[in-house]
Amino acid sequence: MGIAIRPAQPGDVPEILALIKALAEYEGAPEAVKATEADLRGHGFGERPYFHTLLAELDGQVVGFALYFFTYSTWEGRPSLYIEDIFVRPAYRGRGAGRALLAACAKEALKRDCMRMEWQVLDWNQPAIDFYRRLGARHTAEWLPFRMGREAIEVLAREDK
Amino acid sequence: MGIAIRPAQPGDVPEILALIKALAEYEGAPEAVKATEADLRGHGFGERPYFHTLLAELDGQVVGFALYFFTYSTWEGRPSLYIEDIFVRPAYRGRGAGRALLAACAKEALKRDCMRMEWQVLDWNQPAIDFYRRLGARHTAEWLPFRMGREAIEVLAREDK
């Protein structure tokens, strides 16, 4: 049957959470995942989901996923498709599932007339970096990603009257 | 009257586009802005906007803006607030408008129970980097931002059956 890509349904949430945890483990942060099935069900489905999920199946078995949402480029005046997670279980690599997931994301991006797809990759993940470059993506090295955690957010929010 | 922060209305679109262009100029890319007033009106207002905008007023005059949207952290199982643009016109700096915009973003982040606020800063913008660090944000240097442009997206999308 080969590789097939399909949108996730609410019934896939346990599998999605398992993939998120497998990705976190691959990224060296197995305890980082605080998300629950209830979180993903509430936030990823229904009328106004925060994210969308595509599943890659190999011979009918889920072997990977891409989780994305739409951001916005004020330079382009168009939404962008941002890939939060893309992952194929190590045992099933080399058979085109990652590329098929990215191609399906690209198709979704065109449906919304996006001018860009964006994501982040860990600096030690050279196979992924090489793969993305071969597909025509580039590291926007002049832009530094910044993050503020909950504690600092709470302190800052108190300044707002 | 001092600084006041308010959500933008559709009537503010010409001012928002002027601020987007002023920011692009400050960033050394004055010709990068292809967005039109119609784009911003269609994408930033109504039932399902792609983005939200806060305006900073000083003595009743718009002097800066923050443009943000909600992304999603699969580790936290919560939305994150992502700041696409934050800018105060150079002539009006040093009076707290930037900090007030960030504080208002922090308050919006808490309303959605976000665990993170995220953004990107240009690597030469040391005053901004220092400012963000003082507020408790950090450069997530291990994550490299990648971007794929429209042409590569179109090529890739053709692979998806």
Short mmCIF file of all heavy atoms in Angstrom, two decimals, chain A residues 23 46 87 97:
data_model
loop_
_atom_site.label_atom_id
_atom_site.label_comp_id
_atom_site.label_asym_id
_atom_site.label_seq_id
_atom_site.Cartn_x
_atom_site.Cartn_y
_atom_site.Cartn_z
N LEU A 23 8.78 12.14 19.73
CA LEU A 23 9.59 13.23 19.18
C LEU A 23 10.39 13.91 20.29
O LEU A 23 11.58 14.19 20.14
CB LEU A 23 8.69 14.25 18.45
CG LEU A 23 9.36 15.54 17.99
CD1 LEU A 23 10.57 15.28 17.10
CD2 LEU A 23 8.35 16.43 17.25
N GLY A 46 -12.63 20.69 16.46
CA GLY A 46 -13.76 21.58 16.68
C GLY A 46 -13.71 22.79 15.77
O GLY A 46 -12.99 22.82 14.78
N PHE A 87 7.64 14.47 12.38
CA PHE A 87 8.37 13.34 12.96
C PHE A 87 7.93 12.04 12.30
O PHE A 87 6.74 11.84 12.05
CB PHE A 87 8.09 13.27 14.46
CG PHE A 87 8.79 12.15 15.18
CD1 PHE A 87 10.18 12.13 15.30
CD2 PHE A 87 8.06 11.12 15.77
CE1 PHE A 87 10.83 11.10 15.98
CE2 PHE A 87 8.70 10.08 16.46
CZ PHE A 87 10.08 10.07 16.56
N ALA A 97 8.19 8.96 4.07
CA ALA A 97 7.06 9.46 4.88
C ALA A 97 7.26 10.93 5.25
O ALA A 97 6.30 11.72 5.20
CB ALA A 97 6.89 8.61 6.14
#
